[in-house]
Amino acid sequence: MYAKYEPLLIEFIAATMAADPAHDPQHINRVVSNAKQLARHESANLAVVVPAAYLHDCFSLPKNHPERAKSSQLAAQKARQFLVSINYPELHLDAITHAITAHSYSAGITPQTLEAKVVQDADRLDALGAIGIARCIQVGSSMGVELYHGDDPFAQEREWNDKHYTFDHFYTKLFRLPDAMHTHAARQEAKRRLAFMQDYLQQLGTEIAVADAASITTTT
């Protein structure tokens, strides 16, 4: 049923998404792909999951904006208005709105439906693995944040601080995501992506000459 609306969703996102290095149309495409796969594994309703995945970032405040936590609520309002304008079936609107509102990490809203859990998992998978590393560096660079602390990159004698060091964000947020996944398929994929990120940090430690990098990179 959702398929006939998909071209309209794609057109809307292409026309309205603000420039954001980590929330671009490619991010949307990956989240939609993740969401479709997870929905099929979990027998979730694609008529809810697909529009929510396409529209989850149709409005997004910058990471360092003081009202960043409200982004998903504003996106949900904008998405609902658009869906009404294209006559999307009304019976799905509340579920789509909830899935968009609950997807955000910063909003801290617990998803109450299977479809909302699928969309949240799909979005969070895109913060992990090779693409997660690339997106993290993109965001840090756009905010003028250093890659790592020059004297103590793995925070052996300081607190993690991702407002100042990009790779600290792995420990303050990203490494926590696998345990927060709701669906079995997402948890399994998240573990694979987490292992890649840990290998990456081990290699980073070797290249910047940090002693015992293998043990350091698994610390959270």
Side-chain angles (χ1 to χ4, degrees):
M1 185 278 294
Y2 71 86
K4 70 177 183 178
Y5 296 96
E6 200 159 8
L8 297 175
L9 294 166
I10 294 169
E11 182 181 350
F12 178 74
I13 287 301
T16 62
M17 281 193 71
D20 182 330
H23 299 88
D24 57 7
Q26 287 72 37
H27 166 66
I28 299 300
N29 290 338
R30 292 189 301 269
V31 172
V32 170
S33 178
N34 290 340
K36 287 179 177 179
Q37 292 181 53
L38 295 177
R40 292 182 179 113
H41 275 289
E42 302 294 327
S43 299
N45 188 346
L46 286 165
V48 173
V49 168
V50 172
Y54 271 114
L55 299 172
H56 75 280
D57 279 337
C58 66
F59 182 91
S60 182
L61 292 168
K63 288 284 187 184
N64 56 354
H65 193 283
E67 296 190 335
R68 169 70 181 179
K70 296 181 180 179
S71 275
S72 66
Q73 297 173 47
L74 297 171
Q77 293 171 14
K78 182 177 178 180
R80 190 179 187 113
Q81 291 171 356
F82 169 69
L83 291 170
V84 169
S85 76
I86 62 171
N87 297 314
Y88 200 82
E90 185 177 359
L91 76 161
H92 299 309
L93 295 184
D94 286 346
I96 294 169
T97 300
H98 170 63
I100 294 173
T101 303
H103 91 273
S104 170
Y105 187 92
S106 57
I109 297 170
T110 302
Q112 300 298 319
T113 65
L114 174 59
E115 289 72 25
K117 292 174 182 177
V118 164
V119 173
Q120 188 183 88
D121 283 0
D123 184 53
R124 291 183 177 185
L125 280 176
D126 205 51
L128 298 172
I131 196 65
I133 293 171
R135 292 179 68 217
C136 189
I137 293 172
Q138 270 190 311
V139 172
S141 177
S142 71
M143 295 170 61
V145 174
E146 294 183 53
L147 273 177
Y148 58 87
H149 189 291
D151 296 323
D152 189 7
F154 294 107
Q156 296 300 283
E157 298 180 358
R158 65 179 179 88
E159 297 294 322
W160 297 113
N161 186 345
D162 61 358
K163 289 182 172 58
H164 292 288
Y165 308 106
T166 294
F167 289 138
D168 282 22
H169 192 59
F170 286 32
Y171 297 93
T172 59
K173 176 184 175 183
L174 302 184
F175 282 177
R176 300 176 181 178
L177 295 181
D179 288 338
M181 296 291 174
H182 301 282
T183 63
H184 176 73
R187 283 193 295 273
Q188 295 303 109
E189 178 60 21
K191 288 177 183 177
R192 286 190 285 270
R193 296 188 185 202
L194 173 63
F196 178 90
M197 297 172 81
Q198 290 172 332
D199 288 345
Y200 174 87
L201 288 179
Q202 183 175 340
Q203 177 63 22
L204 174 71
T206 300
E207 292 180 11
I208 61 177
V210 173
D212 199 20
S215 63
I216 291 171
T217 57
T218 58
T219 304
T220 56

